[in-house]
């Protein structure tokens, strides 16, 4: 796969983002595309960067460490979107500008400790399990406000918003209620005016449903397949 195909795919996705934003009177620039590069090799990711991808989404620390070594000189921002184990926090703070998947005080404290060591303020999102599927990571809607209040006291962590990963449906419309619920939860948290945090970011929507997510307020869409092709 050459740079051209990435340019085409990026153009297609960017146009859909722009048109969907306009349709619901949102500024297209308020929506950022996270190109999910998990399982894809460094040479392919480099082509995507050359084609104009600016944010990469990765799910696995070990895998990212190898690719990051090769690609860190290139101009792209790395976001972590997978399940993060506390014992990998020290690697995460070194590589990622935004960690989308913090769902416990224990993990936040570990990130705070490791971020402090390298003099960084780590940006994070709180992963919410909207709909409470037992198999998924994320904190329940009921517990989110309390967790955010606790994490807001950590000096080297900066909360920027919320993330969700709804159950899989083949019809995007079925996912809409989960996106709506995350937006409403964001509005509730915003009205609580907790010091030292912002909850402007909503990370939601993947290749199959990012249009619906944008209609419901997404500011970060995590698109893998539509840019990098099917995963092996
Ligand atoms: C893999 C992954 C994506 C991208 O999924 P696609 O359907 O390939 O766009 C988005 N978010 C998370 C959390 C993922 O793990």
């Amino acid at each position: 796969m050459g740079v051209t195909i990435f340019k085409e795919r990026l153009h297609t996705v960017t146009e859909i983002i722009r048109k969907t934003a306009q349709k619901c009177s949102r500024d297209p620039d308020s929506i950022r595309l996270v190109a999910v590069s998990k399982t894809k090799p460094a040479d392919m990711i480099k082509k995507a960067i050359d084609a104009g991808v600016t944010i990469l989404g990765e799910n696995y620390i070990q895998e990212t460490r190898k690719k990051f070594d090769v690609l860190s000189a290139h101009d792209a921002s790395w976001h972590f979107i997978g399940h993060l184990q506390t014992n990998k926090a020290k690697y995460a703070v070194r590589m990622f500008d935004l960690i989308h998947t913090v769902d416990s005080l224990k993990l936040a404290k570990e990130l705070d400790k490791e971020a402090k060591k390298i003099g960084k303020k780590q940006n994070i999102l709180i992963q919410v399990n909207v709909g409470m599927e037992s198999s998924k990571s994320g904190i329940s809607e009921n517990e989110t406000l309390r967790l955010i209040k606790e994490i807001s006291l950590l000096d080297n962590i900066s909360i920027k918003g919320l993330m969700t990963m709804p159950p899989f449906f083949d019809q995007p419309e079925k996912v809409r209620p989960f996106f709506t619920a995350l937006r409403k939860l964001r509005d509730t948290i915003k009205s609580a005016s907790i010091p030292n945090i912002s909850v402007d970011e909503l990370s939601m929507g993947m290749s199959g449903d990012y249009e619906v997510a944008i209609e419901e307020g997404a500011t970060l869409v995590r698109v893998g397949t539509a840019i990098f092709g099917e995963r092996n």
Side-chain angles (χ1 to χ4, degrees):
M1 274 210 324
V3 176
T4 314
I5 184 131
F6 282 113
K7 280 196 175 143
E8 283 166 12
R9 289 177 181 169
L10 193 59
H11 179 74
T12 304
V13 173
T14 312
E15 275 301 289
I16 292 174
I17 292 173
R18 193 179 60 76
K19 288 191 178 127
T20 310
Q22 279 171 351
K23 209 171 68 186
C24 53
S25 307
R26 293 189 57 198
D27 175 5
D29 292 337
S30 68
I31 300 142
R32 290 188 291 161
L33 172 65
V34 180
V36 178
S37 47
K38 64 171 173 240
T39 78
K40 301 299 177 185
D43 59 336
M44 199 167 167
I45 298 173
K46 182 178 178 307
K47 285 176 188 150
I49 296 170
D50 290 343
V53 161
T54 57
I55 307 175
L56 299 164
E58 287 283 347
N59 291 57
Y60 310 103
I61 295 291
Q62 289 302 105
E63 186 192 322
T64 314
R65 286 179 68 195
K66 295 189 194 120
K67 297 194 267 193
F68 190 81
D69 277 349
V70 185
L71 293 168
S72 60
H74 295 276
D75 202 9
S77 174
W78 296 69
H79 287 195
F80 190 74
I81 63 169
H83 176 70
L84 185 57
Q85 292 166 285
T86 46
N87 63 358
K88 303 271 167 61
K90 65 170 175 286
Y91 304 113
V93 300
R94 284 173 171 77
M95 297 188 289
F96 296 104
D97 295 319
L98 183 65
I99 297 171
H100 291 223
T101 49
V102 177
D103 61 359
S104 72
L105 183 61
K106 182 170 171 244
L107 176 58
K109 279 184 169 165
E110 199 60 29
L111 289 168
D112 180 60
K113 190 178 94 190
E114 296 298 338
K116 190 179 198 133
K117 283 185 194 163
I118 60 167
K120 180 183 182 183
K121 190 144 182 160
Q122 178 67 53
N123 293 331
I124 66 161
L125 305 178
I126 303 298
Q127 182 175 3
V128 184
N129 186 348
V130 180
M132 281 312 277
E133 262 194 302
S134 56
S135 62
K136 290 253 167 63
S137 334
I139 186 145
S140 73
E141 286 165 81
N142 298 340
E143 293 169 311
T144 305
L145 185 60
R146 180 187 50 79
L147 179 64
I148 288 179
K149 281 181 180 161
E150 289 168 347
I151 296 178
S152 74
L153 304 174
L154 302 173
D155 288 336
N156 290 75
I157 298 286
S158 182
I159 296 177
K160 297 292 181 191
L162 307 177
M163 177 271 202
T164 198
M165 173 99 181
F168 178 78
F169 294 103
D170 46 16
Q171 293 160 280
E173 273 308 320
K174 293 204 169 147
V175 193
R176 189 184 295 274
F178 296 88
F179 296 153
T180 314
L182 195 72
R183 170 167 47 80
K184 287 186 172 159
L185 180 61
R186 190 270 312 272
D187 294 343
T188 306
I189 290 164
K190 210 168 183 151
S191 62
S193 302
I194 302 162
N196 305 318
I197 70 150
S198 70
V199 278
D200 295 322
E201 302 284 1
L202 285 179
S203 166
M204 55 191 197
M206 321 203 311
S207 291
D209 53 24
Y210 65 97
E211 293 169 72
V212 176
I214 290 167
E215 286 167 7
E216 296 303 323
T219 64
L220 289 158
V221 289
R222 309 180 307 265
V223 178
T225 316
I227 290 170
F228 285 99
E230 294 293 334
R231 286 178 289 275
N232 322 316

